[in-house]
């Protein structure tokens, strides 16, 4: 977490920072984070371990019908998002259930914020404020990677397992969109999270044991027009650079990562794929 928080401090960010942590987090780490004003959402380690064991057991493969029945029972009524969220937290790995925790916190605190960045932590650094160029009250921004879905092994794998070969065929020539970073206004992000929760719950039987599958859901929803009016940008052209599949990167004289127009990119995701970038993040 060092790179994430050090870089935020270096750019003078003064907004809220909220992260999900195990309730068994090391006391020293907990103290240092709280001293710097970081808001911690605690997730029971016991629950995290159960989802891992369930995924590894492959029981979800033979529980297909029960999961479908549970979804049918939960997917109705005014409080269905809360009920589906509890269901996902019970059976899904944290890579998928994190969207439920995001939703719970944001729904309870929506009046505090204008814009939200949903972000991974381990491999993200900041070069400037990610919200500085947002000037619209209603925005939802997604960020492409550098391969099509067809050429992105994991994205295509997740989509095929979640939604079937036909669904993959329909969007395979689209650019893969990273689920590790999403920026938007509060209401738009809440709507995005609701759709992520409902869809994940609907396909629990097909995805429970696949870590990272949320990116398959993310891409399916985007390319099936669940978020009309959202903005999808090419890699490095906006607030986020996703470096996992990049073949080259550019720096200015200040050793900041820049795009083709030599503009500094606020958020650098997967920076650790480039060892030289990792060293710069420590500087």
């Amino acid at each position: 977490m060092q790179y994430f928080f050090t870089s935020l401090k270096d750019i003078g960010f003064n907004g809220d920072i909220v992260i999900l942590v195990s309730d068994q987090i090391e006391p020293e780490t907990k103290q240092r984070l709280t001293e710097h004003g970081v808001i911690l959402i605690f997730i029971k380690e016991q629950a995290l371990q159960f989802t891992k064991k369930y995924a590894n057991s492959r029981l979800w493969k033979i529980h297909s019908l029960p999961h479908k029945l549970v979804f049918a029972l939960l997917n109705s009524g005014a409080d269905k998002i809360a009920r589906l969220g509890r269901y996902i937290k019970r059976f899904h790995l944290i890579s998928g259930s994190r969207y439920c925790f995001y939703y719970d916190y944001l729904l309870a605190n929506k009046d505090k914020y204008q814009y939200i960045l949903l972000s991974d932590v381990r491999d993200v650094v900041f070069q400037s404020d990610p919200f500085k160029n947002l000037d619209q009250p209603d925005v939802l921004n997604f960020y492409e990677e550098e391969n099509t879905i067809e050429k992105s092994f994991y994205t295509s794998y997740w989509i095929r397992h979640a939604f079937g070969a036909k669904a993959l065929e329909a969007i395979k020539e689209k650019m893969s969109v990273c689920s590790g970073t999403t920026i938007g206004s509060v209401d738009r992000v809440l709507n995005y999270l609701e759709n992520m929760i409902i869809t994940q719950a609907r396909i629990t039987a097909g995805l429970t044991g696949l870590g990272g599958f949320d990116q398959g859901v993310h891409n399916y929803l985007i390319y099936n027009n669940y978020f009309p009016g959202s903005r999808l940008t090419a890699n490095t052209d906006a607030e986020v650079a996703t470096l996992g599949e990049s073949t080259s990167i550019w720096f200015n004289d200040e050793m900041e990562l820049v795009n083709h127009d030599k503009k500094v990119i606020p958020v650098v995701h997967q920076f650790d794929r480039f060892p030289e970038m990792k060293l710069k993040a420590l500087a």
Side-chain angles (χ1 to χ4, degrees), residues 226-238:
Y226 277 72
F227 313 114
S230 61
R231 179 186 178 211
L232 180 59
T233 58
N235 196 21
T236 76
D237 280 355

Side-chain angles (χ1 to χ4, degrees), residues 17 36 70 93 107 114 130 144 166 206 211 219 221 223 252 282:
I17 306 169
H36 285 85
V70 169
L93 295 168
L107 186 65
Q114 181 178 9
E144 293 178 351
K166 288 185 178 180
N219 279 259
L221 293 176
Y223 287 123
N252 62 17
L282 283 169

Side-chain angles (χ1 to χ4, degrees), residues 20-37:
L20 310 179
V21 296
S22 164
D23 63 356
Q24 299 300 310
I25 187 174
E26 294 181 2
E28 180 183 357
T29 303
K30 177 181 176 181
Q31 180 179 350
R32 293 184 67 179
L33 290 172
T34 53
E35 284 176 352
H36 285 85

